[in-house]
Amino acid sequence: MTHLRLWRRLVPAALLTWYAVPALGAPADEPSALERRVKAAFLYKFAAYVTWPTPPASGSSFSIGVLGDDALAAELGRVVAGRTVEGRPVTVYRVSETDSLGNLHMLFVGRSRTSQLEAIAAAAREHSILTVSEAEGALSMGSVINFVLSSGKVRFEISLGAARKSGLALSSRLLGVALSVVDHRTNGGP
């Protein structure tokens, strides 16, 4: 195996296992700056491991919406500056509950909007939007990916049932680095 091939195989895996960065300093209900940076990097990297049911329109951008966390939206904007997803530029939008979600590919729902997560996830599912959250029990509310802190480190859990209902296919490489993967098909959940 050439060094280039080895490099191409190891870099994505290394980035996905970057979760080992500790989340330091902020109060329990407020993400720290480091935690937001890690989550922003994850959000960008998730796009490479998800297949959407409808091919993107030619010349369109890959759109990520952020609801309820302006600081994370700003950090994500810095992370994706000049980067692409499948050759398309990445655009970050700060969205509100009343905005149309139809143009988004991914939606991050901050913990300040947890009480609305179930309705937001249902609306996002209609447009095959990858919903990512950061709330306890979020997978049972319809979120596809949920950030969790485990031993002070940012990790994530996945709901295969929610992904299927959204028409999304998740890479086995993404599933392999998740803290947990829940498949609600057998117990009737999302």
Side-chain angles (χ1 to χ4, degrees), residues 86-146:
E86 296 181 359
R88 295 178 294 153
V90 181
T91 305
V92 177
Y93 297 96
R94 292 178 183 160
V95 298
S96 72
E97 294 82 353
T98 59
D99 290 339
S100 170
L101 303 178
N103 65 330
L104 300 177
H105 298 93
M106 183 185 307
L107 174 64
F108 174 79
V109 181
R111 65 180 62 135
S112 67
R113 299 303 195 275
T114 300
S115 65
Q116 300 152 324
L117 179 58
E118 194 164 353
I120 293 166
R125 196 169 29 249
E126 294 175 15
H127 301 284
S128 297
I129 297 169
L130 174 66
T131 306
V132 183
S133 55
E134 58 176 357
E136 186 175 337
L139 296 185
S140 66
M141 293 184 255
S143 185
V144 176
I145 298 176
N146 186 51

Coordinates of all heavy atoms in Angstrom, one line a residue, residues 86-146:
E86 N -18.7 17.0 -1.4 CA -18.9 16.4 -2.7 C -18.7 17.5 -3.8 O -19.5 17.6 -4.7 CB -20.2 15.8 -2.9 CG -20.3 14.5 -2.0 CD -21.7 13.8 -2.1 OE1 -22.5 14.3 -2.8 OE2 -21.8 12.8 -1.4
G87 N -17.7 18.4 -3.7 CA -17.5 19.4 -4.6 C -18.3 20.6 -4.5 O -18.2 21.6 -5.3
R88 N -19.2 20.7 -3.6 CA -20.1 21.8 -3.4 C -19.7 22.7 -2.2 O -19.3 22.1 -1.2 CB -21.6 21.4 -3.2 CG -22.1 20.6 -4.5 CD -23.5 20.1 -4.2 NE -23.5 19.1 -3.2 CZ -24.6 18.8 -2.4 NH1 -25.7 19.5 -2.5 NH2 -24.5 17.9 -1.5
P89 N -19.8 24.0 -2.3 CA -19.4 24.8 -1.2 C -20.4 24.6 -0.1 O -21.6 24.2 -0.3 CB -19.5 26.2 -1.7 CG -20.4 26.1 -2.9 CD -20.2 24.8 -3.5
V90 N -20.0 24.8 1.2 CA -20.8 24.6 2.3 C -21.3 25.9 2.8 O -20.5 26.9 3.0 CB -20.1 23.8 3.5 CG1 -21.0 23.6 4.7 CG2 -19.5 22.5 2.9
T91 N -22.6 26.0 3.1 CA -23.2 27.3 3.6 C -23.8 27.0 4.9 O -24.5 26.0 5.1 CB -24.3 27.8 2.6 OG1 -23.7 27.9 1.3 CG2 -24.8 29.1 3.1
V92 N -23.6 27.8 5.9 CA -24.2 27.7 7.2 C -25.3 28.8 7.4 O -25.0 29.9 7.1 CB -23.1 27.8 8.3 CG1 -23.7 27.7 9.7 CG2 -22.0 26.8 8.2
Y93 N -26.4 28.3 7.9 CA -27.5 29.3 8.1 C -27.9 29.2 9.6 O -28.0 28.1 10.2 CB -28.8 28.9 7.3 CG -28.6 28.9 5.8 CD1 -28.2 27.8 5.1 CD2 -28.8 30.1 5.2 CE1 -28.1 27.9 3.7 CE2 -28.6 30.2 3.8 CZ -28.3 29.1 3.1 OH -28.1 29.2 1.7
R94 N -28.2 30.3 10.2 CA -28.8 30.4 11.5 C -30.3 30.4 11.2 O -30.8 31.2 10.5 CB -28.4 31.6 12.3 CG -27.0 31.6 12.6 CD -26.6 32.9 13.3 NE -25.1 32.8 13.6 CZ -24.4 33.8 13.8 NH1 -24.8 35.0 13.9 NH2 -23.1 33.6 14.0
V95 N -31.0 29.4 11.8 CA -32.4 29.3 11.4 C -33.3 29.4 12.7 O -32.8 29.2 13.8 CB -32.8 27.9 10.8 CG1 -32.0 27.8 9.4 CG2 -32.4 26.7 11.7
S96 N -34.5 29.8 12.5 CA -35.5 29.8 13.6 C -36.6 28.8 13.4 O -36.6 28.2 12.3 CB -36.1 31.2 13.7 OG -37.0 31.4 12.6
E97 N -37.4 28.6 14.4 CA -38.4 27.6 14.3 C -39.4 27.9 13.2 O -40.1 27.0 12.7 CB -39.2 27.5 15.7 CG -38.4 27.0 16.8 CD -37.6 28.1 17.5 OE1 -37.5 29.3 17.0 OE2 -37.0 27.8 18.5
T98 N -39.5 29.1 12.8 CA -40.5 29.5 11.7 C -39.9 29.4 10.3 O -40.7 29.6 9.4 CB -41.1 30.9 12.0 OG1 -40.0 31.8 12.0 CG2 -41.8 30.9 13.3
D99 N -38.6 29.2 10.2 CA -38.0 29.2 8.9 C -38.4 27.9 8.2 O -38.5 26.8 8.8 CB -36.5 29.3 9.0 CG -36.0 30.7 9.4 OD1 -36.8 31.6 9.2 OD2 -34.9 30.8 9.9
S100 N -38.4 27.9 6.8 CA -38.6 26.7 6.0 C -37.3 25.9 6.1 O -36.2 26.5 6.1 CB -38.9 27.1 4.6 OG -38.8 25.9 3.8
L101 N -37.4 24.6 6.2 CA -36.2 23.8 6.3 C -35.8 23.1 5.0 O -34.8 22.4 4.9 CB -36.4 22.7 7.4 CG -36.8 23.1 8.8 CD1 -37.0 21.9 9.7 CD2 -35.7 24.0 9.4
G102 N -36.7 23.3 4.0 CA -36.6 22.6 2.7 C -35.2 22.7 2.0 O -34.9 21.8 1.2
N103 N -34.5 23.8 2.3 CA -33.2 23.9 1.5 C -32.0 23.3 2.3 O -30.9 23.4 1.8 CB -33.0 25.4 1.2 CG -32.8 26.2 2.5 OD1 -33.3 25.9 3.5 ND2 -32.0 27.2 2.4
L104 N -32.3 22.8 3.5 CA -31.2 22.3 4.3 C -30.9 20.8 4.0 O -31.8 20.0 3.7 CB -31.5 22.4 5.8 CG -31.7 23.8 6.3 CD1 -32.1 23.8 7.7 CD2 -30.5 24.7 6.0
H105 N -29.6 20.4 4.2 CA -29.2 19.0 4.2 C -29.0 18.5 5.6 O -29.1 17.3 5.9 CB -27.9 18.9 3.4 CG -28.0 19.3 2.0 ND1 -27.8 20.5 1.5 CD2 -28.5 18.6 0.9 CE1 -28.0 20.6 0.2 NE2 -28.5 19.4 -0.2
M106 N -28.6 19.4 6.5 CA -28.3 19.0 7.9 C -28.8 20.1 8.8 O -28.8 21.3 8.4 CB -26.8 18.8 8.1 CG -26.4 18.4 9.4 SD -24.5 18.4 9.7 CE -24.0 17.4 8.3
L107 N -29.3 19.7 9.9 CA -29.8 20.7 10.9 C -29.3 20.3 12.3 O -29.6 19.2 12.8 CB -31.4 20.7 10.9 CG -32.0 21.6 12.0 CD1 -31.7 23.1 11.8 CD2 -33.5 21.4 12.0
F108 N -28.6 21.3 12.9 CA -28.2 21.1 14.3 C -29.2 21.8 15.2 O -29.5 23.0 14.9 CB -26.8 21.7 14.5 CG -26.4 21.6 16.0 CD1 -26.0 20.5 16.5 CD2 -26.5 22.8 16.8 CE1 -25.6 20.4 17.9 CE2 -26.2 22.7 18.1 CZ -25.7 21.6 18.7
V109 N -29.7 21.1 16.2 CA -30.7 21.7 17.1 C -30.0 21.8 18.5 O -29.7 20.8 19.1 CB -31.9 20.8 17.2 CG1 -32.9 21.5 18.2 CG2 -32.6 20.6 15.8
G110 N -29.7 23.0 18.9 CA -29.1 23.3 20.2 C -29.9 22.9 21.4 O -31.2 22.8 21.2
R111 N -29.3 22.7 22.5 CA -30.0 22.2 23.7 C -31.1 23.2 24.2 O -32.0 22.8 24.8 CB -29.1 21.7 24.8 CG -28.3 22.8 25.4 CD -27.4 22.2 26.5 NE -26.4 21.3 25.9 CZ -25.1 21.2 26.2 NH1 -24.6 22.0 27.1 NH2 -24.4 20.3 25.6
S112 N -31.0 24.4 23.8 CA -32.0 25.4 24.2 C -33.3 25.1 23.5 O -34.4 25.7 23.9 CB -31.5 26.8 23.9 OG -31.4 27.1 22.5
R113 N -33.3 24.3 22.4 CA -34.5 24.0 21.7 C -35.0 22.6 21.9 O -35.8 22.1 21.1 CB -34.4 24.3 20.2 CG -34.0 25.7 19.8 CD -35.0 26.7 20.3 NE -34.9 28.0 19.7 CZ -34.1 29.0 20.1 NH1 -33.3 28.8 21.2 NH2 -34.1 30.1 19.5
T114 N -34.5 21.9 22.9 CA -34.9 20.5 23.2 C -36.4 20.3 23.3 O -36.9 19.3 22.8 CB -34.1 20.0 24.4 OG1 -32.7 20.1 24.2 CG2 -34.5 18.6 24.7
S115 N -37.1 21.3 23.9 CA -38.5 21.1 24.1 C -39.3 21.0 22.8 O -40.4 20.5 22.7 CB -39.1 22.2 25.0 OG -38.9 23.4 24.3
Q116 N -38.6 21.5 21.7 CA -39.3 21.5 20.4 C -38.7 20.5 19.5 O -39.1 20.4 18.3 CB -39.1 22.9 19.8 CG -39.7 24.0 20.6 CD -39.0 25.3 20.4 OE1 -37.8 25.4 20.2 NE2 -39.8 26.4 20.4
L117 N -37.7 19.7 20.0 CA -37.0 18.8 19.1 C -37.9 17.8 18.4 O -37.6 17.5 17.2 CB -35.9 18.1 19.9 CG -35.1 17.1 19.1 CD1 -34.3 17.7 18.0 CD2 -34.0 16.4 20.0
E118 N -38.8 17.2 19.0 CA -39.7 16.2 18.4 C -40.4 16.8 17.2 O -40.4 16.1 16.1 CB -40.7 15.6 19.4 CG -41.3 14.3 18.9 CD -42.0 13.6 20.0 OE1 -41.8 13.9 21.2 OE2 -42.7 12.6 19.7
A119 N -41.0 17.9 17.3 CA -41.7 18.6 16.2 C -40.7 19.0 15.1 O -40.9 18.8 13.9 CB -42.5 19.8 16.6
I120 N -39.5 19.5 15.5 CA -38.5 19.9 14.5 C -38.0 18.7 13.7 O -37.8 18.7 12.5 CB -37.4 20.7 15.2 CG1 -37.9 22.0 15.8 CG2 -36.2 20.9 14.3 CD1 -36.9 22.6 16.8
A121 N -37.7 17.6 14.5 CA -37.2 16.4 13.8 C -38.2 15.8 12.8 O -37.9 15.4 11.7 CB -36.8 15.3 14.8
A122 N -39.5 15.9 13.2 CA -40.5 15.4 12.3 C -40.6 16.2 11.0 O -40.7 15.7 9.9 CB -41.9 15.4 13.0
A123 N -40.5 17.5 11.2 CA -40.5 18.4 10.0 C -39.2 18.2 9.1 O -39.3 18.1 7.9 CB -40.6 19.9 10.4
A124 N -38.1 18.0 9.8 CA -36.9 17.7 9.0 C -36.9 16.4 8.3 O -36.4 16.3 7.2 CB -35.7 17.8 10.0
R125 N -37.5 15.4 8.9 CA -37.6 14.1 8.3 C -38.3 14.2 6.9 O -38.0 13.5 6.0 CB -38.4 13.2 9.3 CG -38.2 11.7 9.0 CD -38.8 10.8 10.1 NE -39.8 11.3 10.9 CZ -39.7 11.6 12.2 NH1 -38.6 11.5 12.8 NH2 -40.8 12.1 12.9
E126 N -39.3 15.0 6.8 CA -40.1 15.2 5.5 C -39.2 15.6 4.4 O -39.5 15.4 3.2 CB -41.2 16.2 5.7 CG -42.3 15.7 6.7 CD -43.4 16.7 6.9 OE1 -43.4 17.7 6.1 OE2 -44.1 16.6 7.9
H127 N -38.1 16.3 4.7 CA -37.1 16.8 3.7 C -35.8 16.1 3.7 O -34.9 16.5 3.1 CB -36.9 18.3 4.0 CG -38.1 19.2 4.0 ND1 -38.7 19.6 2.8 CD2 -38.8 19.7 5.0 CE1 -39.8 20.3 3.1 NE2 -39.8 20.4 4.5
S128 N -35.8 14.9 4.3 CA -34.6 14.1 4.4 C -33.4 14.9 4.9 O -32.3 14.8 4.3 CB -34.2 13.5 3.0 OG -35.3 12.6 2.6
I129 N -33.6 15.6 6.0 CA -32.5 16.4 6.6 C -31.9 15.6 7.7 O -32.6 15.0 8.6 CB -33.1 17.7 7.1 CG1 -33.7 18.6 6.0 CG2 -32.1 18.5 7.9 CD1 -34.5 19.7 6.5
L130 N -30.6 15.6 7.8 CA -29.9 14.9 8.9 C -30.0 15.8 10.1 O -29.5 16.9 10.1 CB -28.4 14.7 8.5 CG -27.5 14.2 9.6 CD1 -27.9 12.8 10.0 CD2 -26.1 14.2 9.2
T131 N -30.7 15.3 11.1 CA -30.9 16.1 12.3 C -29.9 15.7 13.4 O -29.7 14.5 13.7 CB -32.3 15.8 12.9 OG1 -33.3 16.1 11.9 CG2 -32.6 16.8 14.1
V132 N -29.2 16.7 13.9 CA -28.2 16.4 14.9 C -28.5 17.3 16.1 O -28.9 18.4 16.0 CB -26.7 16.8 14.4 CG1 -25.7 16.5 15.5 CG2 -26.4 16.1 13.1
S133 N -28.4 16.7 17.3 CA -28.9 17.4 18.5 C -27.8 17.2 19.6 O -26.8 16.6 19.4 CB -30.2 16.9 19.0 OG -30.1 15.5 19.1
E134 N -28.1 17.7 20.8 CA -27.2 17.6 21.9 C -28.0 17.5 23.2 O -27.7 18.2 24.2 CB -26.2 18.8 21.9 CG -26.9 20.1 22.0 CD -25.9 21.3 22.1 OE1 -24.7 21.1 22.2 OE2 -26.4 22.4 22.2
A135 N -29.0 16.7 23.3 CA -29.9 16.6 24.4 C -30.1 15.2 24.9 O -30.1 14.3 24.0 CB -31.2 17.2 24.1
E136 N -30.2 15.0 26.2 CA -30.4 13.7 26.7 C -31.7 13.2 26.2 O -32.7 13.9 26.2 CB -30.4 13.7 28.2 CG -30.5 12.4 28.9 CD -30.4 12.4 30.4 OE1 -29.9 13.4 30.9 OE2 -30.9 11.5 31.0
G137 N -31.8 11.9 25.7 CA -33.0 11.3 25.2 C -33.4 11.8 23.8 O -34.5 11.5 23.3
A138 N -32.5 12.5 23.1 CA -32.9 13.1 21.8 C -33.1 12.1 20.7 O -34.0 12.3 19.8 CB -31.7 14.0 21.3
L139 N -32.5 10.9 20.8 CA -32.8 9.9 19.7 C -34.2 9.4 19.8 O -34.8 9.1 18.8 CB -31.8 8.7 19.9 CG -30.3 9.0 19.7 CD1 -29.5 7.7 19.7 CD2 -30.1 9.8 18.4
S140 N -34.8 9.4 21.0 CA -36.2 8.9 21.1 C -37.1 10.0 20.7 O -38.3 9.8 20.5 CB -36.5 8.5 22.6 OG -36.4 9.6 23.4
M141 N -36.6 11.2 20.5 CA -37.4 12.3 20.0 C -37.3 12.5 18.5 O -37.8 13.4 17.9 CB -37.1 13.7 20.7 CG -37.4 13.7 22.2 SD -37.0 15.3 22.9 CE -35.5 14.9 23.8
G142 N -36.5 11.6 17.8 CA -36.4 11.6 16.4 C -35.1 12.1 15.8 O -35.0 12.2 14.6
S143 N -34.2 12.5 16.6 CA -32.9 13.0 16.1 C -32.1 11.8 15.6 O -32.2 10.7 16.1 CB -32.1 13.6 17.3 OG -30.9 14.2 16.8
V144 N -31.4 12.0 14.5 CA -30.6 10.9 13.9 C -29.2 10.8 14.6 O -28.8 9.7 14.9 CB -30.3 11.2 12.4 CG1 -29.4 10.2 11.8 CG2 -31.7 11.3 11.6
I145 N -28.6 11.9 14.9 CA -27.3 11.9 15.6 C -27.5 12.8 16.8 O -28.0 13.9 16.7 CB -26.1 12.3 14.7 CG1 -26.0 11.4 13.5 CG2 -24.8 12.4 15.5 CD1 -24.9 11.8 12.5
N146 N -26.9 12.4 17.9 CA -27.0 13.2 19.2 C -25.6 13.2 19.8 O -25.0 12.2 20.1 CB -28.0 12.6 20.1 CG -28.2 13.5 21.3 OD1 -28.5 14.7 21.2 ND2 -28.1 12.9 22.5

